[in-house]
């Protein structure tokens, strides 16, 4: 490393960003849309010979120029990113990488969580991280037939409640997983609270935080996958692989998903789950969306109502528990965030 320097790359530095993108492109990688720290290893002429990034507690977009491979630069790069993560207080780290690169991270002390053969491997830096998560879940296991739903609930709507009620008609216990990532306009703490309050009268419903193992499509890393279809398939197949382990820990025999007729992403996701889960003995059932007139009830429509202050529309779309929250003073910061967001129809 005597001839090289590691430097932070700032989003405002268009020249360095262009050099990073050029290296990534040469190595068959596209810069991920979700990054909050980027660095570059540069030579004495300030040419970028390696680069890597972070987002939350993940390492992303790592590449070394083909002309400089074999010089130990990837080790230096990953070591720097891990140190930066520790400085930021992120001790539990995750990596999504190509299958061909997995051994490198295993040799660095990462441990495999799950993989999609031929596409990607999901790893973490704790040898017992996923096992501890599964062990904690197993303590909530109940006798009888168990099923599950996974939801972002951004926020909790009458449609979410309908999905839960429909699923509960087929099981004794329904495990409801709320995506923990704070990548939504409604913070996770509020989303989970509204799900808990909205299900409080259903003793068979057990609400869980998804933790770091079930992630949203909004932040799924896409930098080493070639196109949008591959990204969507990869996310769904990885989610299925992780969920099968969760299902085993909880004795879950069926997962229910909501139909999303207008979303190609969700259509792909549901199709893959319906293909993959039965191979592990878990049925996958798609539930038609609850509609208001001819329009399916969606969280996007709830956010639109909040954005324009239409309380009548809001009341028609959400349970009383959600309505009470959003008409309270406590919700003011969240509503302001939604109003400032512009387009609120996204995930």
């Amino acid at each position: 490393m005597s001839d090289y320097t590691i430097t932070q790359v700032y989003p405002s530095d268009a020249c360095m960003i262009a050099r990073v993108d050029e290296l990534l492109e040469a190595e068959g990688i596209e810069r991920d849309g979700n990054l909050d720290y980027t660095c570059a290893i540069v030579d004495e002429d300030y040419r970028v010979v390696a680069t890597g990034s972070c987002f939350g507690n993940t390492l992303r977009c790592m590449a070394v120029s083909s002309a400089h491979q074999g010089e130990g630069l990837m080790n230096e790069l990953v070591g720097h990113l891990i140190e930066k993560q520790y400085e930021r207080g992120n001790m539990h780290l995750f990596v999504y990488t190509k299958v061909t690169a997995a051994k490198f991270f295993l040799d660095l002390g990462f441990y495999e969580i799950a993989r999609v053969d031929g596409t990607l491997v999901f790893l973490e830096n704790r040898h017992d991280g996923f096992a501890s998560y599964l062990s904690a879940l197993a303590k909530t296991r109940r006798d009888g037939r168990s099923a599950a739903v996974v939801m972002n609930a951004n926020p909790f709507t009458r449609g979410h409640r309908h999905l839960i009620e429909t699923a509960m008609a087929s099981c004794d216990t329904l495990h409801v997983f709320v995506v923990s990532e704070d990548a939504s306009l409604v913070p996770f703490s509020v989303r989970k609270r509204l799900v808990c309050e909205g299900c409080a009268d259903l003793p068979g419903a057990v609400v869980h935080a998804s933790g770091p193992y079930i992630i949203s499509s909004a932040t799924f890393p896409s930098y080493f996958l070639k196109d949008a279809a591959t990204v969507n398939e990869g996310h769904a197949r990885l989610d299925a692989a992780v969920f099968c382990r969760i299902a085993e820990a909880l004795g879950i025999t069926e997962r229910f998903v909501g139909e999303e007729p207008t979303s190609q992403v969700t259509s792909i996701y549901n199709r893959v789950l319906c293909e993959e889960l039965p191979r592990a003995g878990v049925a996958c059932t798609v539930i038609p969306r609850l509609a208001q007139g001819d329009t399916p009830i969606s969280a996007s429509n709830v956010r639109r109502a909040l954005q324009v202050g239409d309380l009548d529309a809001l009341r028609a779309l959400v349970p009383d528990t959600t309505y009470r929250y959003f008409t309270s003073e406590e919700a003011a910061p969240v509503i302001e965030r939604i109003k400032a967001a512009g387009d609120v129809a996204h995930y």
Side-chain angles (χ1 to χ4, degrees):
M1 282 292 291
S2 58
D3 295 328
Y4 302 113
T5 303
I6 298 182
T7 182
Q8 182 173 354
V9 178
Y10 295 92
S12 58
D13 190 341
C15 181
M16 279 296 291
I17 290 292
R19 293 176 185 175
V20 166
D21 285 347
E22 184 179 359
L23 170 60
L24 291 174
E25 183 178 354
E27 300 306 317
I29 295 173
E30 183 176 351
R31 183 156 51 91
D32 198 85
N34 295 301
L35 302 175
D36 51 33
Y37 175 83
T38 295
C39 69
I41 298 179
V42 297
D43 63 16
E44 62 272 18
D45 295 318
Y46 223 64
R47 290 185 292 247
V48 175
V49 297
T51 184
S53 299
C54 303
F55 177 70
N57 58 359
T58 65
L59 310 184
R60 303 189 176 199
C61 294
M62 292 161 285
V64 175
S65 167
S66 56
H68 295 271
Q69 291 177 8
E71 299 179 21
L73 296 181
M74 183 60 82
N75 287 45
E76 295 291 339
L77 184 68
V78 173
H80 171 79
L81 293 174
I82 290 174
E83 182 179 352
K84 180 59 64 175
Q85 289 281 35
Y86 288 171
E87 288 175 2
R88 302 197 303 181
N90 294 328
M91 311 304 288
H92 191 184
L93 306 179
F94 298 85
V95 172
Y96 302 81
T97 190
K98 297 177 183 178
V99 173
T100 53
K103 186 178 185 305
F104 171 79
F105 289 100
L106 292 169
D107 290 343
L108 283 180
F110 282 80
Y111 301 86
E112 182 173 326
I113 299 166
R115 70 169 55 206
V116 177
D117 286 337
T119 305
L120 64 95
V121 181
F122 182 29
L123 307 104
E124 63 183 332
N125 67 337
R126 292 184 180 174
H127 72 91
D128 62 346
F130 192 37
S132 296
Y133 172 75
L134 294 176
S135 178
L137 285 180
K139 293 176 182 178
T140 68
R141 184 167 178 162
R142 298 178 178 179
D143 293 334
R145 179 175 169 77
S146 293
V149 297
V150 178
M151 58 181 57
N152 195 40
N154 182 32
F156 189 70
T157 69
R158 287 177 54 217
H160 293 113
R161 169 77 186 203
H162 172 74
L163 174 62
I164 290 171
E165 288 179 337
T166 304
M168 290 195 67
S170 301
C171 64
D172 301 298
T173 301
L174 182 71
H175 295 277
V176 181
F177 290 88
V178 183
V179 175
S180 302
E181 281 184 307
D182 259 326
S184 304
L185 289 170
V186 182
F188 167 68
S189 59
V190 174
R191 289 187 288 109
K192 186 184 177 192
R193 168 185 158 185
L194 294 181
V195 173
C196 289
E197 291 177 353
C199 298
D201 61 322
L202 303 174
V206 181
V207 180
H208 305 277
S210 72
Y213 300 103
I214 299 175
I215 69 165
S216 73
S217 60
T219 58
F220 180 70
S222 59
Y223 55 92
F224 58 87
L225 300 174
K226 62 182 180 179
D227 53 44
T230 306
V231 170
N232 295 335
E233 288 257 356
H235 177 228
R237 294 193 189 284
L238 180 63
D239 183 75
V242 170
F243 185 78
C244 286
R245 297 281 303 280
I246 292 171
E248 183 180 7
L250 288 170
I252 291 168
T253 57
E254 187 168 11
R255 176 167 168 177
F256 293 85
V257 298
E259 182 185 34
E260 184 66 73
T262 62
S263 171
Q264 184 179 13
V265 171
T266 303
S267 177
I268 292 173
Y269 186 85
N270 287 351
R271 173 180 59 77
V272 171
L273 291 187
C274 287
E275 292 172 359
E276 296 292 329
L277 295 184
R279 293 172 183 167
V282 180
C284 185
T285 302
V286 181
I287 303 299
R289 293 285 296 273
L290 182 68
Q292 183 185 33
D294 296 329
T295 305
I297 292 176
S298 70
S300 290
N301 287 338
V302 172
R303 296 192 297 273
R304 289 191 187 99
L306 289 167
Q307 192 172 50
V308 300
D310 189 341
L311 295 183
D312 289 336
L314 177 67
R315 183 180 286 278
L317 296 169
V318 300
D320 290 342
T321 47
T322 299
Y323 184 81
R324 282 198 298 271
Y325 169 77
F326 280 109
T327 53
S328 71
E329 292 184 5
E330 183 184 0
V334 178
I335 294 174
E336 286 305 311
R337 184 178 179 185
I338 292 171
K339 287 182 176 179
D343 181 13
V344 295
H346 53 80
Y347 181 81

